[in-house]
């Protein structure tokens, strides 16, 4: 883990325009994506996400606020959110099926 890494309590998975899903586990991963791979570098929510992620890395903004700003930027850019819950919680919520021989 990087020294300035700030993990999110709940990972966030999005579907990129290529159809590939990408999971973000931390503020640093989100900021890196915003600064280097973002499809459209404009918009109020994009700018807010960059500011709040930087603030979180500087310990001036809560990581949860940065995560929500990143979600808003994704929605603004038309990047759909695939999974917003914790994978373990989602698996627990799925019905279990048993197969008889």
């Amino acid at each position: 883990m990087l020294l300035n890494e700030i993990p999110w309590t709940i990972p966030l998975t999005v579907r990129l325009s290529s159809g590939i899903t990408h999971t973000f586990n931390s503020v640093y991963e989100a900021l890196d994506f915003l600064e280097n791979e973002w499809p459209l570098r404009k918009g109020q929510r994009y700018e807010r996400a960059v500011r709040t992620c930087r603030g979180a890395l500087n310990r001036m903004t809560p990581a949860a606020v940065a995560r929500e700003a990143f979600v808003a930027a994704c929605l603004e850019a038309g990047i759909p959110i695939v999974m917003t819950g914790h994978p373990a919680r989602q698996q627990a919520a799925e019905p279990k099926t048993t197969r008889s021989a």
Side-chain angles (χ1 to χ4, degrees), residues 8 10-14 16 22-26 29-30 33 70 74:
W8 285 333
I10 302 171
L12 177 72
T13 302
V14 300
L16 305 176
H22 186 97
T23 301
F24 297 90
N25 295 296
S26 70
E29 290 175 8
F33 187 76
F70 183 67
C74 288

Side-chain angles (χ1 to χ4, degrees), residues 1-98:
M1 184 186 315
L2 297 171
L3 184 59
N4 62 349
E5 188 73 287
I6 299 175
W8 285 333
T9 305
I10 302 171
L12 177 72
T13 302
V14 300
R15 184 171 316 282
L16 305 176
S17 61
S18 63
I20 296 172
T21 58
H22 186 97
T23 301
F24 297 90
N25 295 296
S26 70
V27 174
Y28 182 83
E29 290 175 8
L31 181 59
D32 182 58
F33 187 76
L34 286 163
E35 292 181 333
N36 298 305
E37 300 180 53
W38 199 252
L40 186 63
R41 286 191 169 90
K42 63 179 183 177
Q44 290 180 331
R45 291 184 177 136
Y46 165 79
E47 292 169 8
R48 180 175 183 268
V50 170
R51 278 194 317 271
T52 56
C53 285
R54 286 180 182 158
L57 290 176
N58 289 318
R59 310 273 196 253
M60 303 195 62
T61 304
V65 173
R67 184 181 184 279
E68 290 305 314
F70 183 67
V71 167
C74 288
L75 296 174
E76 177 182 62
I79 300 172
I81 307 300
V82 176
M83 176 174 38
T84 57
H86 192 277
R89 290 185 197 142
Q90 285 189 346
Q91 288 175 355
E94 293 175 4
K96 294 183 180 181
T97 58
T98 56

